[in-house]
Amino acid sequence: MFADRTNWDRTPNRLSEALAAHRAAGKPLLDLTVSNPTVCGFDYDGAAILQALNHPEALVYEPNSKGLESARRAVADYYAARGDKVSIDDLILTTSTSEAYCYVFRTLCNPDDEILIPSPSYPLFDFLAEIQDVKLMRYALLYDHGWQIDFHALELAITPRTRAVIVVHPNNPTGHFTKPAEMSKLNAICSARQMAIIADEVFLDFALDGMRVPSFAGNASALTFTLSGLSKIAGLPQMKAAWLAVSGAGDLKREALARLEVIADTYLSMNAPVQLAMPRFFEQRRSFQQQLLSRGRENIAELDRQLAGQKACSRLAVEGGWYAVLRVPAIHSDEELALELLAAHGVYIHPGHFYDFPSDGFLVISLITKASDFSAGVAKVLQVASGEAFSPGPKRGLSPP
Ligand SMILES: Cc1ncc(COP(=O)(O)O)c(C=O)c1O
């Protein structure tokens, strides 16, 4: 009755099960995994956001496959304000970056063609690829006083079926940006092999040092698809407004845009009120980004303050984004540790293997957590991870996320 591609193992992993039980029992929870900015205590201008949706033009349906011009202009203005030049003709609006990934995968890949993704990276890629019948091949990111692309591994992972390389800039959860030298190397590899670059820039504006990092949106040396959206840039995931920008040498770019436009025209998935509101939504990003960055910096400072009081755990370097990675003694598996933290201390944190870390000994912590929860949660994590407060119960088995 059903397609093989949807034959997922949907049994919840042990941590999700334990979390559901914890919540059902009404026990208090210190959630160090939060990623939904609308419930993290940020101050939104609610009146302006709702007012932005109140547009008389929304009463008329004006289908436009790439998205309304006024909305695309708002995206182009966003890039211009950060020093990146993007034409409205090279933009296609989508309801999410996830949808943009689907459009790009459909444009580039036949069934079983391959896309390279970084490892570690965030878990949604597996589902996005499976739904589009695309195979993911992983290239390692190496950590040595900071993260970098393992280009040797990346080149070894390329096969005749490889269509594109995904870079997440900055990466989730490692928080490192792709450096200019790495961009050049990616360009050389991709243009020589007829491969595209897919750059996920949803966290681009969240450099913790406040520096403006160049976007891939102006990259012309290889065919490049740059994906982003208001869900992170303006902290408005509920508005479902995202985009993809296409850049690259003339003919390839034109062909890619023409094909993407047919896909976009088939769905016409953007709604009028949100498109018309996009210029006003972009205005909201300044206050949101300021608040988020100051929260992230305060939480990092608090984490470092607590780390300074012990020797067992450390923090990996982080340049931007909403997460930090903790290195913890691998006395127990990451999952054991996360289960113990939840069961015995009411702290919910993601184990590194959710993000495809190559070994145990890593936890991923959300920097957008409210300061008081963050501080209390980190104190517990350090206590338990160092072995101080780990109650050796019956061995809990490992299971994939
Ligand atoms: C790296 C990355 N890309 C894309 C997304 C999804 O963004 P959207 O809400 O636009 O689909 C996320 C969500 O956390 C993410 O971490």
Side-chain angles (χ1 to χ4, degrees):
M1 191 81 187
F2 298 109
D4 290 346
R5 81 170 76 77
T6 56
N7 195 20
W8 293 293
D9 176 4
R10 288 175 282 122
T11 27
N13 65 67
R14 299 189 55 127
L15 189 54
S16 317
E17 262 177 355
L19 180 65
H22 190 95
R23 285 198 161 123
K27 294 183 189 163
L29 185 72
L30 289 171
D31 187 351
L32 302 183
T33 72
V34 283
S35 61
N36 177 355
T38 62
V39 295
C40 288
F42 294 118
D43 193 13
Y44 288 91
D45 185 345
I49 292 168
L50 293 177
Q51 186 57 36
L53 289 163
N54 187 0
H55 253 280
E57 292 102 304
L59 294 173
V60 176
Y61 183 37
E62 192 194 317
N64 185 324
S65 49
K66 285 179 163 175
L68 291 182
E69 196 173 313
S70 59
R72 281 184 287 132
R73 192 163 304 285
V75 178
D77 289 348
Y78 155 75
Y79 281 111
R82 55 185 332 293
D84 302 301
K85 198 165 176 290
V86 176
S87 158
I88 63 164
D89 298 330
D90 299 339
L91 287 166
I92 293 183
L93 305 185
T94 58
T95 55
S96 63
T97 28
S98 306
E99 187 179 56
Y101 272 115
C102 294
Y103 286 13
V104 175
F105 289 176
R106 277 326 228 182
T107 302
L108 295 174
C109 298
N110 290 317
D112 292 334
D113 277 350
E114 295 165 8
I115 301 263
L116 301 185
I117 62 159
S119 172
S121 71
Y122 92 122
L124 193 64
F125 285 134
D126 293 291
F127 288 94
L128 290 173
E130 270 173 30
I131 293 168
Q132 309 303 319
D133 298 334
V134 167
K135 278 198 179 147
L136 295 181
M137 309 294 279
R138 287 170 159 80
Y139 65 91
L141 301 171
L142 298 176
Y143 188 79
D144 186 10
H145 298 97
W147 291 93
Q148 48 204 295
I149 295 174
D150 180 346
F151 277 99
H152 180 64
L154 188 149
E155 292 197 78
L156 280 179
I158 296 172
T159 76
R161 301 213 67 162
T162 312
R163 294 281 161 266
V165 179
I166 291 179
V167 282
V168 186
H169 178 57
N171 190 37
N172 171 7
T174 60
H176 77 289
F177 288 95
T178 312
K179 307 297 175 301
E182 293 178 316
M183 281 188 181
S184 310
K185 232 168 164 168
L186 280 170
N187 275 329
I189 292 170
C190 290
S191 51
R193 293 177 174 83
Q194 294 272 300
M195 286 162 35
I197 296 173
I198 302 171
D200 178 331
E201 296 189 340
V202 295
F203 296 111
L204 184 68
D205 293 343
F206 301 97
L208 288 162
D209 66 2
M211 296 300 282
R212 189 160 286 167
V213 181
S215 163
F216 272 85
N219 186 47
S221 305
L223 180 63
T224 304
F225 302 90
T226 302
L227 281 44
S228 188
L230 290 182
S231 94
K232 304 288 190 289
I233 295 299
L236 295 170
Q238 74 276 39
M239 296 304 172
K240 308 307 290 175
W243 58 87
L244 72 95
V246 185
S247 57
D251 281 353
L252 272 182
K253 181 175 103 173
R254 258 192 306 280
E255 186 61 24
L257 272 164
R259 290 173 184 237
L260 281 164
E261 204 174 333
V262 175
I263 298 178
D265 195 46
T266 306
Y267 292 107
L268 289 170
S269 57
M270 292 294 286
N271 70 70
V274 164
Q275 291 186 84
L276 291 164
M278 279 177 72
R280 303 283 300 279
F281 288 167
F282 269 108
E283 289 167 12
Q284 300 298 318
R285 78 183 185 282
R286 298 191 194 281
S287 150
F288 172 72
Q289 291 182 5
Q290 252 170 26
Q291 294 179 64
L292 191 131
L293 280 169
S294 74
R295 169 91 52 95
R297 288 176 189 131
E298 275 165 29
N299 281 342
I300 285 269
E302 172 62 13
L303 177 58
D304 289 351
R305 194 189 62 75
Q306 293 199 29
L307 284 168
Q310 53 82 65
K311 288 201 168 63
C313 310
S314 58
R315 168 176 75 76
L316 302 194
V318 53
E319 296 166 353
W322 294 10
Y323 306 94
V325 179
L326 278 180
R327 185 95 175 83
V328 298
I331 312 165
H332 310 276
S333 74
D334 293 351
E335 188 180 55
E336 280 281 318
L337 190 52
L339 283 166
E340 167 70 12
L341 274 161
L342 184 61
H345 305 275
V347 174
Y348 180 41
I349 191 164
H350 276 154
H353 77 268
F354 274 26
Y355 299 85
D356 204 25
F357 274 78
S359 65
D360 283 316
F362 298 97
L363 297 174
V364 174
I365 187 164
S366 165
L367 295 175
I368 73 167
T369 312
K370 285 181 191 161
S372 53
D373 285 8
F374 188 88
S375 175
V378 164
K380 289 287 178 208
V381 169
L382 298 188
Q383 233 182 0
V384 173
S386 65
E388 241 177 80
F390 199 107
S391 50
K395 187 94 184 133
R396 300 180 176 103
L398 268 178
S399 65

